[in-house]
Amino acid sequence: MINKEIQQAVSSGVFTLDEIAALFRISDDTLVDHLKNRKPFDPVYLDYLALAAQQRADLFGGVKRRIHKEKPNLNMVEKSEFFGRVHERIQKSDTNTVRFLVFIDIDNMKIINKDSGHIGGDRAISEMAKRFANACRGDDLVCRFGGDEFIALLSGKDEVSISEMEAEFDKRLNKRKYDGLEMRASVGVAKGIIQPETWMADLCALIDEADRRMMESKEAAKIG
């Protein structure tokens, strides 16, 4: 029970372990050691985590409301809602519909959090959420998958290649600075068909492949 709050924050996608370590002003290794060996944290740390989580939720809620005004048909959801929404959509759609799974991860979040604090980090996440939503179409399903990770499920045309889709999102996400920062996100895309009978396995395979391609892009650019 000692680390329940931290485990919940990570499993729900509110924060990554890196972000929690930055919030607590401790190293990643120290945080992992506490979790692994069930060492107690100062209750003040956990209160601070709860406050930061609420601030992030409020900020992301505001982003969703603004995006909804601009794109009322766009489905922007939390991770806890995403899989259920996908299941509903797959059951109602053509079984031969080609799907694209777009996975993005904000680059250099450790540096942003270190230089600007978690509030500055939250604002950067908010800005990238708006960019990602604006890069998607009105009927796409967009999800904040982790602390600084987002995914989107798109219906597409078979003749559109994965590399073309990655290049398009890269152009739309990374074309301008934010508060003077060269804020960017690495992009990975997977393409396939999700069948009603195997929708969960098919969806997870697309997420894993898009995540793999995103990490390859990040590593090729040597970005943290």
Side-chain angles (χ1 to χ4, degrees), residues 77 105 108:
V77 300
D105 180 271
N108 298 317

Side-chain angles (χ1 to χ4, degrees), residues 5-6 31-32 46 64 112 119 125 137 164 179 183 207 212:
E5 295 89 348
I6 294 174
L31 178 62
V32 170
L46 301 180
K64 288 201 292 184
I112 294 173
I119 293 178
I125 292 172
R137 300 164 302 184
E164 288 174 330
D179 279 356
M183 191 177 75
I207 293 173
R212 183 189 66 78

Side-chain angles (χ1 to χ4, degrees), residues 127-177:
E127 169 63 18
M128 190 55 73
K130 288 185 284 186
R131 292 187 190 185
F132 193 41
N134 288 331
C136 294
R137 300 164 302 184
D139 59 345
D140 294 335
L141 185 59
V142 181
C143 168
R144 185 167 69 97
F145 200 61
D148 57 353
E149 299 173 337
F150 291 84
I151 61 176
L153 185 68
L154 293 65
S155 300
K157 297 180 180 180
D158 194 39
E159 58 266 27
V160 178
S161 71
I162 289 175
S163 58
E164 288 174 330
M165 186 70 75
E166 287 175 338
E168 182 63 24
F169 271 88
D170 180 72
K171 180 176 70 175
R172 295 189 181 192
L173 295 174
N174 300 322
K175 62 184 179 181
R176 62 187 184 277
K177 293 184 178 182

Side-chain angles (χ1 to χ4, degrees), residues 7-221:
Q7 292 166 348
Q8 287 178 341
V10 173
S11 63
S12 64
V14 176
F15 289 108
T16 63
L17 285 176
D18 286 348
E19 289 179 310
I20 293 175
L23 276 172
F24 290 179
R25 297 183 181 276
I26 58 178
S27 69
D28 295 354
D29 290 342
T30 299
L31 178 62
V32 170
D33 180 62
H34 272 70
L35 293 173
K36 184 178 180 180
N37 297 302
R38 300 184 63 82
K39 296 178 181 178
F41 284 98
D42 189 318
V44 173
Y45 279 24
L46 301 180
D47 289 343
Y48 188 37
L49 176 64
L51 176 61
Q54 186 59 56
Q55 289 174 337
R56 175 163 288 185
D58 292 344
L59 183 64
F60 190 64
V63 171
K64 288 201 292 184
R65 288 190 292 273
R66 287 194 296 274
I67 291 172
H68 182 69
K69 288 182 179 179
E70 299 171 6
K71 293 186 173 184
N73 294 324
L74 184 73
N75 297 281
M76 192 167 195
V77 300
E78 293 283 0
K79 186 177 181 179
S80 58
E81 302 174 68
F82 179 73
F83 291 93
R85 293 288 190 93
V86 172
H87 182 244
E88 292 175 4
R89 183 167 293 194
I90 297 304
Q91 301 305 315
K92 298 176 182 177
S93 65
D94 184 342
T95 56
N96 294 316
T97 299
V98 175
R99 308 280 179 181
F100 288 91
L101 194 292
V102 184
F103 196 120
I104 74 167
D105 180 271
I106 301 175
D107 298 331
N108 298 317
M109 274 303 296
K110 282 187 177 181
I111 296 174
I112 294 173
N113 283 323
K114 181 180 179 181
D115 292 347
S116 305
H118 85 272
I119 293 178
D122 283 355
R123 288 174 178 164
I125 292 172
S126 173
E127 169 63 18
M128 190 55 73
K130 288 185 284 186
R131 292 187 190 185
F132 193 41
N134 288 331
C136 294
R137 300 164 302 184
D139 59 345
D140 294 335
L141 185 59
V142 181
C143 168
R144 185 167 69 97
F145 200 61
D148 57 353
E149 299 173 337
F150 291 84
I151 61 176
L153 185 68
L154 293 65
S155 300
K157 297 180 180 180
D158 194 39
E159 58 266 27
V160 178
S161 71
I162 289 175
S163 58
E164 288 174 330
M165 186 70 75
E166 287 175 338
E168 182 63 24
F169 271 88
D170 180 72
K171 180 176 70 175
R172 295 189 181 192
L173 295 174
N174 300 322
K175 62 184 179 181
R176 62 187 184 277
K177 293 184 178 182
Y178 173 67
D179 279 356
L181 296 174
E182 195 70 42
M183 191 177 75
R184 299 180 57 84
S186 296
V187 181
V189 174
K191 177 181 177 182
I193 294 175
I194 302 177
Q195 298 289 353
E197 298 83 4
T198 56
W199 72 272
M200 179 62 84
D202 294 343
L203 175 61
C204 289
L206 288 177
I207 293 173
D208 288 345
E209 175 63 11
D211 184 23
R212 183 189 66 78
R213 290 183 64 88
M214 181 276 295
M215 289 303 301
E216 285 183 351
S217 174
K218 192 182 288 286
E219 290 168 4

